[in-house]
Amino acid sequence: MLSPGYDLWYFFTYETTKSVVVKSWTIGIINRAVQLLIITYFIGWVFVNEKAYQVRDTAIESSVMTKVKGFGIYNNKVMDVADYVIPTQGASVFCIITKIITTENQVQGYCPESENKYNCTQDSQCKRKPGRIMTGKCVPFNTTIKMCEIQGWCPAEIDTIKTKPMMEVQNFTIFIKNSIRFPTFNYTKGNFLTTITNDYIKHCNFDMVNNTYCPIFRVGDVVRYAQQNFTKLGGVIGIKIGWICDLDKSDDQCNPSYSFTRLDAMSQKNAVSPGYNFRFAKYYKMENGTDYRTLVKAYAIRFDVLVNGNAGKFNMIPTLINMVAAFTSVGVGTVLCDIILLNFLKGAEQYKAKKFEEVKYLLFFISLKSRSLKLLHKSNIHSSSTSVLGSTMSTR
């Protein structure tokens, strides 16, 4: 049985891995090449490109105010902002009307419908149908056609009239004022840069080359940047403002970037309901107190101002985490080389014998125990000899 002292000695031993030096050009080149690739990846992509040494804030807070300016002529009438912009509050989503179909002097009453699907020859064809309140009568629409009679605003709307867009819309301008905040860093910025002056604002229009930070956008340019045809357009255009800020750099390096796209691109491929349109009415009252209205079906371009972005700033915690990951990943080269050496190269068995050394646990301790017994036996013999010698001397 081993002594307690030996158990304590064994507890405080230190174990280390065995290093085997393999002098092989093939393995050496593979090992260094893999290590170089891993180091290049972490330095070039993780730290330089992705800036993994920074804490990033993606919860951008934003406010957008818009203002449209311009005059156009439609149906021999001069149209201003109050006529063609809906809603008028200057929000981040607004519509600019390009063409309209009006149905004037509608009053509550009974009248024939105008859509072809309500064509009839007898009352039995005018039973209840979804979307309309039917009276059940088939009445003359004109001298040759009969239609089902409805109850509601009369006369019924005729929205199949072909109209051309108000071409002056292309020259209208959209003024956008955007303010953002990154709450993690309590950092605020606006799209009005310090270099922008009042005189510059009065004359500039945004373009991708010379005026990349001008906050005034010509409608025709926006449509063109979104790769759309104005004469065929009636959809949703996105004006995207991107804020990608490196707060380790100076404040004037955090600037907005603008891009444009059509957000309802799928409606271009659908002939059932292409474009974008909506209806609204203007209400009036006659002298006798009867209400009447002008119904407007408006075809418009809807603009959505979308703001996104993120900001980053140096922080020690992500830096240390990614550095540890980089150093750990370098060891992948050793793992790959071991796989090649153990399985694919000549002399694999020789490498295995050098790399893995097996120590028999039981034999080790039996040998250790026999050594202890021998030492104990020698110690006993020495003690007995000493005792015999002492007795002899005392006898003398």
PDB file of all heavy atoms in Angstrom, residues 96-99 165 169-170 219-220 222-224 226-238 261-265 267-268 274-276 299-303:
ATOM      1  N   ILE A  96     -47.567  61.903 -54.155  1.00  0.00           N
ATOM      2  CA  ILE A  96     -47.664  62.990 -55.124  1.00  0.00           C
ATOM      3  C   ILE A  96     -48.565  62.492 -56.253  1.00  0.00           C
ATOM      4  O   ILE A  96     -48.241  61.523 -56.945  1.00  0.00           O
ATOM      5  CB  ILE A  96     -46.288  63.393 -55.677  1.00  0.00           C
ATOM      6  CG1 ILE A  96     -45.408  63.941 -54.560  1.00  0.00           C
ATOM      7  CG2 ILE A  96     -46.438  64.421 -56.791  1.00  0.00           C
ATOM      8  CD1 ILE A  96     -44.013  64.352 -55.006  1.00  0.00           C
ATOM      9  N   ILE A  97     -49.699  63.161 -56.416  1.00  0.00           N
ATOM     10  CA  ILE A  97     -50.680  62.737 -57.413  1.00  0.00           C
ATOM     11  C   ILE A  97     -50.190  63.118 -58.809  1.00  0.00           C
ATOM     12  O   ILE A  97     -49.767  64.255 -59.048  1.00  0.00           O
ATOM     13  CB  ILE A  97     -52.041  63.397 -57.132  1.00  0.00           C
ATOM     14  CG1 ILE A  97     -52.576  62.920 -55.778  1.00  0.00           C
ATOM     15  CG2 ILE A  97     -53.043  63.086 -58.242  1.00  0.00           C
ATOM     16  CD1 ILE A  97     -53.822  63.661 -55.317  1.00  0.00           C
ATOM     17  N   THR A  98     -50.249  62.154 -59.724  1.00  0.00           N
ATOM     18  CA  THR A  98     -49.799  62.393 -61.101  1.00  0.00           C
ATOM     19  C   THR A  98     -50.968  62.556 -62.075  1.00  0.00           C
ATOM     20  O   THR A  98     -50.845  63.260 -63.070  1.00  0.00           O
ATOM     21  CB  THR A  98     -48.909  61.245 -61.582  1.00  0.00           C
ATOM     22  OG1 THR A  98     -49.632  60.016 -61.492  1.00  0.00           O
ATOM     23  CG2 THR A  98     -47.648  61.151 -60.735  1.00  0.00           C
ATOM     24  N   LYS A  99     -52.090  61.897 -61.798  1.00  0.00           N
ATOM     25  CA  LYS A  99     -53.286  62.074 -62.632  1.00  0.00           C
ATOM     26  C   LYS A  99     -54.523  61.726 -61.814  1.00  0.00           C
ATOM     27  O   LYS A  99     -54.444  60.958 -60.843  1.00  0.00           O
ATOM     28  CB  LYS A  99     -53.227  61.221 -63.892  1.00  0.00           C
ATOM     29  CG  LYS A  99     -53.012  59.733 -63.673  1.00  0.00           C
ATOM     30  CD  LYS A  99     -52.893  59.011 -65.006  1.00  0.00           C
ATOM     31  CE  LYS A  99     -52.672  57.504 -64.799  1.00  0.00           C
ATOM     32  NZ  LYS A  99     -52.550  56.789 -66.089  1.00  0.00           N
ATOM     33  N   PRO A 165     -50.511  61.645 -67.353  1.00  0.00           N
ATOM     34  CA  PRO A 165     -49.989  62.192 -66.092  1.00  0.00           C
ATOM     35  C   PRO A 165     -49.606  63.667 -66.227  1.00  0.00           C
ATOM     36  O   PRO A 165     -49.368  64.173 -67.318  1.00  0.00           O
ATOM     37  CB  PRO A 165     -48.756  61.327 -65.813  1.00  0.00           C
ATOM     38  CG  PRO A 165     -48.315  60.848 -67.155  1.00  0.00           C
ATOM     39  CD  PRO A 165     -49.569  60.672 -67.957  1.00  0.00           C
ATOM     40  N   VAL A 169     -44.723  67.097 -62.719  1.00  0.00           N
ATOM     41  CA  VAL A 169     -44.341  66.419 -61.471  1.00  0.00           C
ATOM     42  C   VAL A 169     -42.849  66.083 -61.466  1.00  0.00           C
ATOM     43  O   VAL A 169     -42.198  66.095 -60.416  1.00  0.00           O
ATOM     44  CB  VAL A 169     -45.188  65.144 -61.290  1.00  0.00           C
ATOM     45  CG1 VAL A 169     -44.669  64.320 -60.107  1.00  0.00           C
ATOM     46  CG2 VAL A 169     -46.646  65.505 -61.062  1.00  0.00           C
ATOM     47  N   GLN A 170     -42.282  65.816 -62.626  1.00  0.00           N
ATOM     48  CA  GLN A 170     -40.871  65.461 -62.704  1.00  0.00           C
ATOM     49  C   GLN A 170     -39.961  66.553 -62.155  1.00  0.00           C
ATOM     50  O   GLN A 170     -38.861  66.270 -61.663  1.00  0.00           O
ATOM     51  CB  GLN A 170     -40.483  65.165 -64.154  1.00  0.00           C
ATOM     52  CG  GLN A 170     -41.194  63.959 -64.746  1.00  0.00           C
ATOM     53  CD  GLN A 170     -40.751  63.701 -66.163  1.00  0.00           C
ATOM     54  OE1 GLN A 170     -39.777  62.997 -66.412  1.00  0.00           O
ATOM     55  NE2 GLN A 170     -41.471  64.299 -67.107  1.00  0.00           N
ATOM     56  N   VAL A 219     -38.017  65.018 -58.264  1.00  0.00           N
ATOM     57  CA  VAL A 219     -38.823  63.805 -58.404  1.00  0.00           C
ATOM     58  C   VAL A 219     -38.381  62.990 -59.612  1.00  0.00           C
ATOM     59  O   VAL A 219     -38.252  61.764 -59.548  1.00  0.00           O
ATOM     60  CB  VAL A 219     -40.323  64.158 -58.502  1.00  0.00           C
ATOM     61  CG1 VAL A 219     -41.142  62.915 -58.860  1.00  0.00           C
ATOM     62  CG2 VAL A 219     -40.815  64.756 -57.189  1.00  0.00           C
ATOM     63  N   GLY A 220     -38.112  63.649 -60.717  1.00  0.00           N
ATOM     64  CA  GLY A 220     -37.673  62.940 -61.917  1.00  0.00           C
ATOM     65  C   GLY A 220     -36.369  62.197 -61.703  1.00  0.00           C
ATOM     66  O   GLY A 220     -36.189  61.074 -62.201  1.00  0.00           O
ATOM     67  N   VAL A 222     -35.264  61.057 -58.752  1.00  0.00           N
ATOM     68  CA  VAL A 222     -35.548  59.937 -57.847  1.00  0.00           C
ATOM     69  C   VAL A 222     -36.108  58.751 -58.621  1.00  0.00           C
ATOM     70  O   VAL A 222     -35.698  57.599 -58.428  1.00  0.00           O
ATOM     71  CB  VAL A 222     -36.524  60.370 -56.736  1.00  0.00           C
ATOM     72  CG1 VAL A 222     -36.970  59.168 -55.909  1.00  0.00           C
ATOM     73  CG2 VAL A 222     -35.880  61.416 -55.832  1.00  0.00           C
ATOM     74  N   VAL A 223     -37.053  59.024 -59.522  1.00  0.00           N
ATOM     75  CA  VAL A 223     -37.641  57.964 -60.341  1.00  0.00           C
ATOM     76  C   VAL A 223     -36.568  57.322 -61.227  1.00  0.00           C
ATOM     77  O   VAL A 223     -36.521  56.099 -61.387  1.00  0.00           O
ATOM     78  CB  VAL A 223     -38.791  58.523 -61.192  1.00  0.00           C
ATOM     79  CG1 VAL A 223     -39.297  57.482 -62.189  1.00  0.00           C
ATOM     80  CG2 VAL A 223     -39.933  58.999 -60.289  1.00  0.00           C
ATOM     81  N   ARG A 224     -35.695  58.144 -61.789  1.00  0.00           N
ATOM     82  CA  ARG A 224     -34.637  57.620 -62.657  1.00  0.00           C
ATOM     83  C   ARG A 224     -33.635  56.793 -61.864  1.00  0.00           C
ATOM     84  O   ARG A 224     -33.202  55.727 -62.316  1.00  0.00           O
ATOM     85  CB  ARG A 224     -33.936  58.789 -63.359  1.00  0.00           C
ATOM     86  CG  ARG A 224     -32.788  58.380 -64.274  1.00  0.00           C
ATOM     87  CD  ARG A 224     -32.385  59.553 -65.158  1.00  0.00           C
ATOM     88  NE  ARG A 224     -32.107  60.739 -64.371  1.00  0.00           N
ATOM     89  CZ  ARG A 224     -30.932  61.011 -63.811  1.00  0.00           C
ATOM     90  NH1 ARG A 224     -29.922  60.162 -63.941  1.00  0.00           N
ATOM     91  NH2 ARG A 224     -30.750  62.123 -63.113  1.00  0.00           N
ATOM     92  N   ALA A 226     -34.264  55.104 -59.293  1.00  0.00           N
ATOM     93  CA  ALA A 226     -34.947  53.852 -58.957  1.00  0.00           C
ATOM     94  C   ALA A 226     -35.168  52.982 -60.191  1.00  0.00           C
ATOM     95  O   ALA A 226     -35.824  51.944 -60.093  1.00  0.00           O
ATOM     96  CB  ALA A 226     -36.280  54.145 -58.289  1.00  0.00           C
ATOM     97  N   GLN A 227     -34.633  53.446 -61.354  1.00  0.00           N
ATOM     98  CA  GLN A 227     -34.698  52.707 -62.616  1.00  0.00           C
ATOM     99  C   GLN A 227     -36.138  52.463 -63.064  1.00  0.00           C
ATOM    100  O   GLN A 227     -36.508  51.365 -63.479  1.00  0.00           O
ATOM    101  CB  GLN A 227     -33.935  51.381 -62.502  1.00  0.00           C
ATOM    102  CG  GLN A 227     -32.466  51.558 -62.173  1.00  0.00           C
ATOM    103  CD  GLN A 227     -31.714  50.247 -62.050  1.00  0.00           C
ATOM    104  OE1 GLN A 227     -32.301  49.181 -61.991  1.00  0.00           O
ATOM    105  NE2 GLN A 227     -30.394  50.325 -62.015  1.00  0.00           N
ATOM    106  N   GLN A 228     -36.948  53.539 -62.977  1.00  0.00           N
ATOM    107  CA  GLN A 228     -38.344  53.464 -63.386  1.00  0.00           C
ATOM    108  C   GLN A 228     -38.626  54.475 -64.490  1.00  0.00           C
ATOM    109  O   GLN A 228     -37.883  55.441 -64.672  1.00  0.00           O
ATOM    110  CB  GLN A 228     -39.269  53.736 -62.195  1.00  0.00           C
ATOM    111  CG  GLN A 228     -39.107  52.761 -61.044  1.00  0.00           C
ATOM    112  CD  GLN A 228     -39.423  51.342 -61.435  1.00  0.00           C
ATOM    113  OE1 GLN A 228     -40.449  51.048 -62.047  1.00  0.00           O
ATOM    114  NE2 GLN A 228     -38.529  50.417 -61.075  1.00  0.00           N
ATOM    115  N   ASN A 229     -39.707  54.219 -65.232  1.00  0.00           N
ATOM    116  CA  ASN A 229     -40.168  55.116 -66.300  1.00  0.00           C
ATOM    117  C   ASN A 229     -41.302  55.969 -65.750  1.00  0.00           C
ATOM    118  O   ASN A 229     -42.341  55.437 -65.334  1.00  0.00           O
ATOM    119  CB  ASN A 229     -40.635  54.300 -67.503  1.00  0.00           C
ATOM    120  CG  ASN A 229     -40.959  55.181 -68.703  1.00  0.00           C
ATOM    121  OD1 ASN A 229     -41.342  56.337 -68.553  1.00  0.00           O
ATOM    122  ND2 ASN A 229     -40.800  54.633 -69.888  1.00  0.00           N
ATOM    123  N   PHE A 230     -41.128  57.287 -65.767  1.00  0.00           N
ATOM    124  CA  PHE A 230     -42.113  58.168 -65.144  1.00  0.00           C
ATOM    125  C   PHE A 230     -43.486  58.043 -65.789  1.00  0.00           C
ATOM    126  O   PHE A 230     -44.512  58.022 -65.100  1.00  0.00           O
ATOM    127  CB  PHE A 230     -41.638  59.622 -65.210  1.00  0.00           C
ATOM    128  CG  PHE A 230     -42.648  60.605 -64.668  1.00  0.00           C
ATOM    129  CD1 PHE A 230     -42.782  60.784 -63.308  1.00  0.00           C
ATOM    130  CD2 PHE A 230     -43.474  61.327 -65.527  1.00  0.00           C
ATOM    131  CE1 PHE A 230     -43.722  61.666 -62.801  1.00  0.00           C
ATOM    132  CE2 PHE A 230     -44.415  62.215 -65.029  1.00  0.00           C
ATOM    133  CZ  PHE A 230     -44.530  62.381 -63.668  1.00  0.00           C
ATOM    134  N   THR A 231     -43.564  57.966 -67.107  1.00  0.00           N
ATOM    135  CA  THR A 231     -44.863  57.939 -67.792  1.00  0.00           C
ATOM    136  C   THR A 231     -45.657  56.670 -67.480  1.00  0.00           C
ATOM    137  O   THR A 231     -46.870  56.654 -67.591  1.00  0.00           O
ATOM    138  CB  THR A 231     -44.664  58.061 -69.307  1.00  0.00           C
ATOM    139  OG1 THR A 231     -43.818  56.995 -69.759  1.00  0.00           O
ATOM    140  CG2 THR A 231     -44.049  59.394 -69.671  1.00  0.00           C
ATOM    141  N   LYS A 232     -44.953  55.606 -67.089  1.00  0.00           N
ATOM    142  CA  LYS A 232     -45.636  54.349 -66.772  1.00  0.00           C
ATOM    143  C   LYS A 232     -45.706  54.083 -65.264  1.00  0.00           C
ATOM    144  O   LYS A 232     -46.248  53.068 -64.837  1.00  0.00           O
ATOM    145  CB  LYS A 232     -44.895  53.180 -67.435  1.00  0.00           C
ATOM    146  CG  LYS A 232     -44.863  53.253 -68.957  1.00  0.00           C
ATOM    147  CD  LYS A 232     -44.102  52.070 -69.521  1.00  0.00           C
ATOM    148  CE  LYS A 232     -44.037  52.136 -71.050  1.00  0.00           C
ATOM    149  NZ  LYS A 232     -43.265  50.996 -71.610  1.00  0.00           N
ATOM    150  N   LEU A 233     -45.170  55.006 -64.492  1.00  0.00           N
ATOM    151  CA  LEU A 233     -45.038  54.755 -63.060  1.00  0.00           C
ATOM    152  C   LEU A 233     -46.301  55.138 -62.308  1.00  0.00           C
ATOM    153  O   LEU A 233     -46.912  56.170 -62.548  1.00  0.00           O
ATOM    154  CB  LEU A 233     -43.854  55.541 -62.498  1.00  0.00           C
ATOM    155  CG  LEU A 233     -43.607  55.393 -60.993  1.00  0.00           C
ATOM    156  CD1 LEU A 233     -43.255  53.950 -60.662  1.00  0.00           C
ATOM    157  CD2 LEU A 233     -42.508  56.325 -60.538  1.00  0.00           C
ATOM    158  N   GLY A 234     -46.685  54.287 -61.388  1.00  0.00           N
ATOM    159  CA  GLY A 234     -47.731  54.572 -60.429  1.00  0.00           C
ATOM    160  C   GLY A 234     -47.541  53.589 -59.296  1.00  0.00           C
ATOM    161  O   GLY A 234     -48.284  52.613 -59.189  1.00  0.00           O
ATOM    162  N   GLY A 235     -46.543  53.775 -58.481  1.00  0.00           N
ATOM    163  CA  GLY A 235     -46.215  52.787 -57.465  1.00  0.00           C
ATOM    164  C   GLY A 235     -45.584  53.413 -56.246  1.00  0.00           C
ATOM    165  O   GLY A 235     -45.822  54.579 -55.928  1.00  0.00           O
ATOM    166  N   VAL A 236     -44.776  52.615 -55.553  1.00  0.00           N
ATOM    167  CA  VAL A 236     -44.157  53.044 -54.297  1.00  0.00           C
ATOM    168  C   VAL A 236     -42.648  53.103 -54.486  1.00  0.00           C
ATOM    169  O   VAL A 236     -42.015  52.098 -54.831  1.00  0.00           O
ATOM    170  CB  VAL A 236     -44.510  52.079 -53.154  1.00  0.00           C
ATOM    171  CG1 VAL A 236     -43.923  52.581 -51.841  1.00  0.00           C
ATOM    172  CG2 VAL A 236     -46.021  51.906 -53.038  1.00  0.00           C
ATOM    173  N   ILE A 237     -42.087  54.278 -54.268  1.00  0.00           N
ATOM    174  CA  ILE A 237     -40.646  54.495 -54.376  1.00  0.00           C
ATOM    175  C   ILE A 237     -40.067  54.667 -52.973  1.00  0.00           C
ATOM    176  O   ILE A 237     -40.585  55.440 -52.170  1.00  0.00           O
ATOM    177  CB  ILE A 237     -40.319  55.741 -55.222  1.00  0.00           C
ATOM    178  CG1 ILE A 237     -40.822  55.567 -56.648  1.00  0.00           C
ATOM    179  CG2 ILE A 237     -38.822  56.017 -55.224  1.00  0.00           C
ATOM    180  CD1 ILE A 237     -40.087  54.526 -57.447  1.00  0.00           C
ATOM    181  N   GLY A 238     -38.994  53.944 -52.696  1.00  0.00           N
ATOM    182  CA  GLY A 238     -38.326  54.075 -51.406  1.00  0.00           C
ATOM    183  C   GLY A 238     -37.105  54.973 -51.513  1.00  0.00           C
ATOM    184  O   GLY A 238     -36.248  54.758 -52.367  1.00  0.00           O
ATOM    185  N   THR A 261     -35.143  52.887 -54.601  1.00  0.00           N
ATOM    186  CA  THR A 261     -35.618  51.626 -55.159  1.00  0.00           C
ATOM    187  C   THR A 261     -37.138  51.638 -55.223  1.00  0.00           C
ATOM    188  O   THR A 261     -37.792  52.423 -54.524  1.00  0.00           O
ATOM    189  CB  THR A 261     -35.144  50.435 -54.301  1.00  0.00           C
ATOM    190  OG1 THR A 261     -35.503  49.227 -54.939  1.00  0.00           O
ATOM    191  CG2 THR A 261     -35.778  50.465 -52.923  1.00  0.00           C
ATOM    192  N   ARG A 262     -37.677  50.777 -56.066  1.00  0.00           N
ATOM    193  CA  ARG A 262     -39.124  50.615 -56.098  1.00  0.00           C
ATOM    194  C   ARG A 262     -39.510  49.518 -55.126  1.00  0.00           C
ATOM    195  O   ARG A 262     -39.029  48.389 -55.217  1.00  0.00           O
ATOM    196  CB  ARG A 262     -39.613  50.262 -57.507  1.00  0.00           C
ATOM    197  CG  ARG A 262     -41.138  50.143 -57.567  1.00  0.00           C
ATOM    198  CD  ARG A 262     -41.687  50.169 -58.958  1.00  0.00           C
ATOM    199  NE  ARG A 262     -43.149  50.097 -58.930  1.00  0.00           N
ATOM    200  CZ  ARG A 262     -43.922  50.194 -59.994  1.00  0.00           C
ATOM    201  NH1 ARG A 262     -43.376  50.387 -61.190  1.00  0.00           N
ATOM    202  NH2 ARG A 262     -45.234  50.111 -59.884  1.00  0.00           N
ATOM    203  N   LEU A 263     -40.397  49.843 -54.186  1.00  0.00           N
ATOM    204  CA  LEU A 263     -40.733  48.907 -53.129  1.00  0.00           C
ATOM    205  C   LEU A 263     -41.842  47.943 -53.525  1.00  0.00           C
ATOM    206  O   LEU A 263     -41.962  46.871 -52.941  1.00  0.00           O
ATOM    207  CB  LEU A 263     -41.146  49.671 -51.864  1.00  0.00           C
ATOM    208  CG  LEU A 263     -40.077  50.599 -51.274  1.00  0.00           C
ATOM    209  CD1 LEU A 263     -40.626  51.335 -50.071  1.00  0.00           C
ATOM    210  CD2 LEU A 263     -38.829  49.816 -50.899  1.00  0.00           C
ATOM    211  N   ASP A 264     -42.662  48.306 -54.480  1.00  0.00           N
ATOM    212  CA  ASP A 264     -43.748  47.420 -54.923  1.00  0.00           C
ATOM    213  C   ASP A 264     -43.412  46.814 -56.283  1.00  0.00           C
ATOM    214  O   ASP A 264     -44.241  46.781 -57.185  1.00  0.00           O
ATOM    215  CB  ASP A 264     -45.081  48.170 -54.977  1.00  0.00           C
ATOM    216  CG  ASP A 264     -45.081  49.259 -56.046  1.00  0.00           C
ATOM    217  OD1 ASP A 264     -44.005  49.828 -56.307  1.00  0.00           O
ATOM    218  OD2 ASP A 264     -46.147  49.516 -56.633  1.00  0.00           O
ATOM    219  N   ALA A 265     -42.185  46.335 -56.424  1.00  0.00           N
ATOM    220  CA  ALA A 265     -41.717  45.841 -57.716  1.00  0.00           C
ATOM    221  C   ALA A 265     -42.584  44.712 -58.250  1.00  0.00           C
ATOM    222  O   ALA A 265     -42.743  44.559 -59.467  1.00  0.00           O
ATOM    223  CB  ALA A 265     -40.268  45.365 -57.594  1.00  0.00           C
ATOM    224  N   SER A 267     -45.779  44.476 -58.229  1.00  0.00           N
ATOM    225  CA  SER A 267     -46.998  44.956 -58.886  1.00  0.00           C
ATOM    226  C   SER A 267     -46.769  45.293 -60.353  1.00  0.00           C
ATOM    227  O   SER A 267     -47.716  45.383 -61.132  1.00  0.00           O
ATOM    228  CB  SER A 267     -47.541  46.190 -58.154  1.00  0.00           C
ATOM    229  OG  SER A 267     -46.657  47.288 -58.305  1.00  0.00           O
ATOM    230  N   GLN A 268     -45.494  45.490 -60.735  1.00  0.00           N
ATOM    231  CA  GLN A 268     -45.198  45.732 -62.149  1.00  0.00           C
ATOM    232  C   GLN A 268     -45.543  44.512 -63.002  1.00  0.00           C
ATOM    233  O   GLN A 268     -45.925  44.625 -64.163  1.00  0.00           O
ATOM    234  CB  GLN A 268     -43.712  46.039 -62.338  1.00  0.00           C
ATOM    235  CG  GLN A 268     -43.213  47.222 -61.547  1.00  0.00           C
ATOM    236  CD  GLN A 268     -41.735  47.418 -61.742  1.00  0.00           C
ATOM    237  OE1 GLN A 268     -41.288  47.944 -62.759  1.00  0.00           O
ATOM    238  NE2 GLN A 268     -40.938  46.994 -60.779  1.00  0.00           N
ATOM    239  N   PRO A 274     -52.165  47.051 -61.286  1.00  0.00           N
ATOM    240  CA  PRO A 274     -50.845  47.678 -61.373  1.00  0.00           C
ATOM    241  C   PRO A 274     -50.851  49.075 -60.758  1.00  0.00           C
ATOM    242  O   PRO A 274     -51.882  49.738 -60.663  1.00  0.00           O
ATOM    243  CB  PRO A 274     -50.605  47.747 -62.886  1.00  0.00           C
ATOM    244  CG  PRO A 274     -51.974  47.869 -63.464  1.00  0.00           C
ATOM    245  CD  PRO A 274     -52.886  47.076 -62.573  1.00  0.00           C
ATOM    246  N   GLY A 275     -49.686  49.520 -60.356  1.00  0.00           N
ATOM    247  CA  GLY A 275     -49.543  50.894 -59.881  1.00  0.00           C
ATOM    248  C   GLY A 275     -50.145  51.120 -58.513  1.00  0.00           C
ATOM    249  O   GLY A 275     -50.382  50.212 -57.724  1.00  0.00           O
ATOM    250  N   TYR A 276     -50.433  52.400 -58.241  1.00  0.00           N
ATOM    251  CA  TYR A 276     -50.940  52.808 -56.936  1.00  0.00           C
ATOM    252  C   TYR A 276     -51.999  53.879 -57.137  1.00  0.00           C
ATOM    253  O   TYR A 276     -51.765  54.889 -57.821  1.00  0.00           O
ATOM    254  CB  TYR A 276     -49.779  53.342 -56.086  1.00  0.00           C
ATOM    255  CG  TYR A 276     -50.195  53.854 -54.728  1.00  0.00           C
ATOM    256  CD1 TYR A 276     -50.575  52.973 -53.721  1.00  0.00           C
ATOM    257  CD2 TYR A 276     -50.222  55.215 -54.448  1.00  0.00           C
ATOM    258  CE1 TYR A 276     -50.956  53.431 -52.472  1.00  0.00           C
ATOM    259  CE2 TYR A 276     -50.598  55.682 -53.203  1.00  0.00           C
ATOM    260  CZ  TYR A 276     -50.962  54.785 -52.216  1.00  0.00           C
ATOM    261  OH  TYR A 276     -51.344  55.237 -50.990  1.00  0.00           O
ATOM    262  N   TYR A 299     -54.287  58.745 -59.118  1.00  0.00           N
ATOM    263  CA  TYR A 299     -53.134  57.888 -59.403  1.00  0.00           C
ATOM    264  C   TYR A 299     -51.903  58.652 -58.918  1.00  0.00           C
ATOM    265  O   TYR A 299     -51.721  59.825 -59.271  1.00  0.00           O
ATOM    266  CB  TYR A 299     -53.032  57.582 -60.885  1.00  0.00           C
ATOM    267  CG  TYR A 299     -54.171  56.738 -61.405  1.00  0.00           C
ATOM    268  CD1 TYR A 299     -55.380  57.321 -61.778  1.00  0.00           C
ATOM    269  CD2 TYR A 299     -54.046  55.362 -61.515  1.00  0.00           C
ATOM    270  CE1 TYR A 299     -56.434  56.546 -62.251  1.00  0.00           C
ATOM    271  CE2 TYR A 299     -55.090  54.574 -61.996  1.00  0.00           C
ATOM    272  CZ  TYR A 299     -56.287  55.176 -62.352  1.00  0.00           C
ATOM    273  OH  TYR A 299     -57.322  54.404 -62.826  1.00  0.00           O
ATOM    274  N   ALA A 300     -51.089  57.984 -58.157  1.00  0.00           N
ATOM    275  CA  ALA A 300     -50.010  58.717 -57.486  1.00  0.00           C
ATOM    276  C   ALA A 300     -48.735  57.885 -57.391  1.00  0.00           C
ATOM    277  O   ALA A 300     -48.738  56.669 -57.581  1.00  0.00           O
ATOM    278  CB  ALA A 300     -50.457  59.139 -56.084  1.00  0.00           C
ATOM    279  N   ILE A 301     -47.651  58.606 -57.090  1.00  0.00           N
ATOM    280  CA  ILE A 301     -46.394  57.969 -56.691  1.00  0.00           C
ATOM    281  C   ILE A 301     -46.291  58.145 -55.184  1.00  0.00           C
ATOM    282  O   ILE A 301     -46.355  59.261 -54.668  1.00  0.00           O
ATOM    283  CB  ILE A 301     -45.173  58.627 -57.362  1.00  0.00           C
ATOM    284  CG1 ILE A 301     -45.342  58.655 -58.881  1.00  0.00           C
ATOM    285  CG2 ILE A 301     -43.904  57.897 -56.970  1.00  0.00           C
ATOM    286  CD1 ILE A 301     -44.263  59.456 -59.581  1.00  0.00           C
ATOM    287  N   ARG A 302     -46.195  57.017 -54.501  1.00  0.00           N
ATOM    288  CA  ARG A 302     -46.033  57.087 -53.048  1.00  0.00           C
ATOM    289  C   ARG A 302     -44.546  56.999 -52.717  1.00  0.00           C
ATOM    290  O   ARG A 302     -43.840  56.126 -53.230  1.00  0.00           O
ATOM    291  CB  ARG A 302     -46.780  55.957 -52.352  1.00  0.00           C
ATOM    292  CG  ARG A 302     -46.939  56.202 -50.860  1.00  0.00           C
ATOM    293  CD  ARG A 302     -47.675  55.084 -50.198  1.00  0.00           C
ATOM    294  NE  ARG A 302     -46.746  54.084 -49.652  1.00  0.00           N
ATOM    295  CZ  ARG A 302     -47.117  53.034 -48.941  1.00  0.00           C
ATOM    296  NH1 ARG A 302     -48.390  52.824 -48.716  1.00  0.00           N
ATOM    297  NH2 ARG A 302     -46.226  52.182 -48.486  1.00  0.00           N
ATOM    298  N   PHE A 303     -44.088  57.891 -51.858  1.00  0.00           N
ATOM    299  CA  PHE A 303     -42.683  57.919 -51.442  1.00  0.00           C
ATOM    300  C   PHE A 303     -42.596  57.509 -49.967  1.00  0.00           C
ATOM    301  O   PHE A 303     -43.277  58.082 -49.117  1.00  0.00           O
ATOM    302  CB  PHE A 303     -42.094  59.313 -51.633  1.00  0.00           C
ATOM    303  CG  PHE A 303     -41.976  59.723 -53.076  1.00  0.00           C
ATOM    304  CD1 PHE A 303     -43.016  60.414 -53.695  1.00  0.00           C
ATOM    305  CD2 PHE A 303     -40.848  59.427 -53.824  1.00  0.00           C
ATOM    306  CE1 PHE A 303     -42.923  60.796 -55.026  1.00  0.00           C
ATOM    307  CE2 PHE A 303     -40.748  59.800 -55.151  1.00  0.00           C
ATOM    308  CZ  PHE A 303     -41.781  60.484 -55.761  1.00  0.00           C
TER     309      PHE A 303
END
